[in-house]
Amino acid sequence: MTDKRLVLLITCMTAFITPFLGSSVNIALPSINADFMVPDEALLNWVALGFLLSAAIFVVPFGRIADIFGRKTIFITGLSIVVISSILCSMSSSIHMLILSRAVEGFGSALIFGTSVAILTAAYPMKERGKALGINVALTYLGLSAGPVLGGFITHNIGWRYIYGGMAAYASLVALLALLVLKENERCAENAPFDAIGTALYGAMLFTFMMGLSMVPTMWGGLIIALSLVVMAAFFWWELRNPNPVLKVSVFRKNTVFLFSNLAALINYSATAAIAFLLSLYLHYIQGYDPQSAGLILVAQPIVQAIFSPLSGRLSDKVEPRIVASMGMGFCIIGLALFALLTPSTPLYQIIASLMFLGLGFALFSSPNTNAIMSSVDRCDYGVASGMVSTMRIIGQMLSQSIALLIFLMIMGHTEISQDQSGPLMASVQVAFLVFAGLCVIGLFASLMRGNLRSGVTPVNALHQKQ
């Protein structure tokens, strides 16, 4: 039997890959644009969007495939695809080749994230699972936070292509360790037919939804989002009638812990993913910090989160995850509300203190919430649950950015952001943080409604029992 500490090491090394690949490219876009002389900004944005779309579309289906045919095989296949696609990214001779390579990289990342958390969950008993998942979550957020900082350093000193060259070498090392160390998990329903129609509908649903978000607030964006809702209805109709669905919709209906934990995760990511974007603009255009100094200030949040995520995960092994995660969501509300009170003269120590407060809130929420999601399902559904954790993060990131951009458009119009527009920019930042704090209030109710993981009693079930 594989040593669970080695499983933790491998999955934590992997947890850094996908979020780093998703966040590091944003800082490199100007350099990529200079290399390829991209004629259309929308085409340049596909370097980031293509990766996110591909990862979101394939992560749940391949989580299901991993549950059926074995997680180790899918996990190592995903790492191998990341290695090859990263090499192709570093060798790209045109923007179109880079976009295609990034989409393949997203596909490989989906195979990793559809299995890594599942592999880790299966290796640890429930009484120790929160601690392990806490460490894993810390590495995930470290990847998200280190992406812009490390990506910016590499881009500035040796060029953006070395981001992908370095990732190819790193992923090769992880793949080799996984091949030597991991044992194949037990296979569930190996002979069950794969739900190809459900997978196609799921992919079309996410593709149209995320495409629509990327085009908000244009009319086409609204129409495409409406189309995604129609496809969503068709997807749920099909899944409810399929004996071997790619996504067990019945789990959401019958498992309140799973349903509300995923909903809380989606809301939390939607309310917090744009924080770095908003504060970067505030620190640069309002407070006058250069990009490097602003990046160093923003590091305060992930440092606190990385420190406390393992501790909060361990706490959720002893205390109901609902209590710890809801406390974290409450901290996020206060932190976001503090940022809604920002002014041009807010002292730096107050900004850093608020960031540290938010980092503590994220730590208290994320690890216990992931523990609740993974521990609320059967072993044969770990892959799909792992995929849902990643899907909630990716969709939440897209929603958060779309909400922030929509607020900017409503207040500032199509005016280019500059120091001359400091007044409207300040108002946009304040309103955005206020909206995000309101979202977290809704998320707090979702977190509390999930009920207790260990007793299986939820507020919803308790209400039904009384009736």
Side-chain angles (χ1 to χ4, degrees):
M1 186 174 179
T2 306
D3 189 326
K4 59 187 178 183
R5 290 170 296 184
L6 291 176
V7 174
L8 178 61
L9 172 64
I10 292 169
T11 53
C12 283
M13 290 177 70
T14 308
F16 182 85
I17 293 176
T18 299
F20 178 83
L21 286 172
S23 61
S24 62
V25 71
N26 294 320
I27 201 75
L29 287 178
S31 296
I32 293 171
N33 187 31
D35 271 9
F36 296 132
M37 300 299 291
V38 183
D40 186 0
E41 185 179 341
L43 189 63
L44 187 65
N45 288 336
W46 270 97
V47 176
L49 185 59
F51 176 89
L52 289 174
L53 269 173
S54 182
I57 288 170
F58 290 106
V59 66
V60 168
F62 273 92
R64 177 60 178 157
I65 290 173
D67 284 337
I68 297 174
F69 299 108
R71 296 177 191 126
K72 177 182 176 180
T73 302
I74 301 299
F75 181 71
I76 294 176
T77 301
L79 285 167
S80 302
I81 292 172
V82 167
V83 171
I84 295 169
S85 58
S86 294
I87 292 172
L88 291 174
C89 285
S90 69
M91 297 171 58
S92 293
S93 57
S94 68
I95 188 65
H96 298 92
M97 180 179 175
L98 179 59
I99 291 170
L100 180 60
S101 300
R102 284 280 293 170
V104 175
E105 198 172 51
F107 173 70
S109 296
L111 272 63
I112 294 171
F113 251 104
T115 51
S116 61
V117 176
I119 291 171
L120 181 59
T121 302
Y124 278 81
M126 183 177 286
K127 64 181 181 180
E128 300 176 6
R129 192 172 292 160
K131 176 182 66 176
L133 289 171
I135 297 171
N136 189 267
V137 167
L139 267 293
T140 299
Y141 276 96
L142 186 62
L144 280 170
S145 305
V149 178
L150 187 56
F153 177 83
I154 294 172
T155 301
H156 178 74
N157 289 282
I158 54 178
W160 63 268
R161 295 177 187 274
Y162 286 88
I163 295 175
Y164 299 105
M167 183 51 64
Y170 179 78
S172 296
L173 173 62
V174 181
L176 179 61
L177 286 173
L179 187 64
L180 294 174
V181 171
L182 295 183
K183 304 297 182 184
E184 188 58 89
N185 63 287
E186 72 276 17
R187 301 181 181 187
C188 302
E190 187 175 351
N191 297 321
F194 181 68
D195 181 14
I197 294 177
T199 298
L201 287 171
Y202 180 82
M205 173 183 71
L206 282 185
F207 180 81
T208 51
F209 181 69
M210 294 178 74
M211 277 294 295
L213 283 179
S214 70
M215 299 170 69
V216 167
T218 65
M219 181 186 70
W220 281 109
L223 289 174
I224 294 174
I225 289 176
L227 175 62
S228 74
L229 297 178
V230 174
V231 179
M232 182 187 298
F235 169 72
F236 284 123
W237 179 86
W238 172 262
E239 293 297 277
L240 286 170
R241 287 157 179 77
N242 190 340
N244 296 292
V246 66
L247 178 62
K248 293 182 179 179
V249 179
S250 59
V251 174
F252 286 94
R253 293 195 304 170
K254 300 175 182 178
N255 188 334
T256 316
V257 173
F258 186 75
L259 169 64
F260 283 106
S261 296
N262 275 289
L263 180 60
L266 176 62
I267 294 172
N268 186 264
Y269 281 116
S270 298
T272 59
I275 288 174
F277 167 72
L278 294 171
L279 287 180
S280 295
L281 294 177
Y282 167 78
L283 290 169
H284 181 61
Y285 291 106
I286 305 296
Q287 294 255 358
Y289 289 97
D290 60 76
Q292 182 173 329
S293 299
L296 289 173
I297 293 169
L298 294 176
V299 166
Q301 174 211 308
I303 287 176
V304 172
Q305 189 167 344
I307 292 171
F308 286 98
S309 285
L311 298 176
S312 68
R314 181 178 296 181
L315 183 61
S316 71
D317 287 331
K318 301 176 181 179
V319 180
E320 279 295 334
R322 174 176 70 94
I323 298 172
V324 185
S326 299
M327 189 188 308
M329 189 75 84
F331 276 40
C332 288
I333 294 171
I334 298 171
L336 290 166
L338 288 173
F339 279 128
L341 300 174
L342 285 174
T343 68
S345 59
T346 299
L348 180 59
Y349 74 84
Q350 185 175 326
I351 296 170
I352 293 176
S354 299
L355 280 168
M356 294 175 70
F357 195 82
L358 267 175
L360 179 60
F362 293 156
L364 288 171
F365 173 78
S366 298
S367 302
N369 197 67
T370 302
N371 189 11
I373 291 173
M374 297 305 301
S375 298
S376 66
V377 298
D378 182 76
R379 291 180 68 89
C380 287
D381 293 323
Y382 282 166
V384 172
S386 176
M388 288 304 299
V389 171
S390 183
T391 302
M392 293 302 102
R393 185 183 70 252
I394 294 171
I395 295 178
Q397 288 173 323
M398 293 282 293
L399 277 171
S400 188
Q401 200 73 14
S402 297
I403 292 169
L405 291 175
L406 183 60
I407 291 170
F408 272 56
L409 186 66
M410 291 174 62
I411 296 176
M412 299 186 65
H414 293 280
T415 306
E416 183 178 350
I417 297 175
S418 66
Q419 289 181 330
D420 294 335
Q421 297 291 323
S422 59
L425 175 60
M426 188 73 255
S428 299
V429 169
Q430 291 170 334
V431 170
F433 278 121
L434 194 60
V435 169
F436 288 148
L439 268 178
C440 272
V441 171
I442 299 173
L444 177 59
F445 282 104
S447 184
L448 290 169
M449 287 297 290
R450 84 181 79 195
N452 294 334
L453 175 67
R454 294 171 181 86
S455 68
V457 177
T458 70
V460 174
N461 293 338
L463 180 62
H464 288 319
Q465 289 171 5
K466 287 181 181 180
Q467 291 175 342

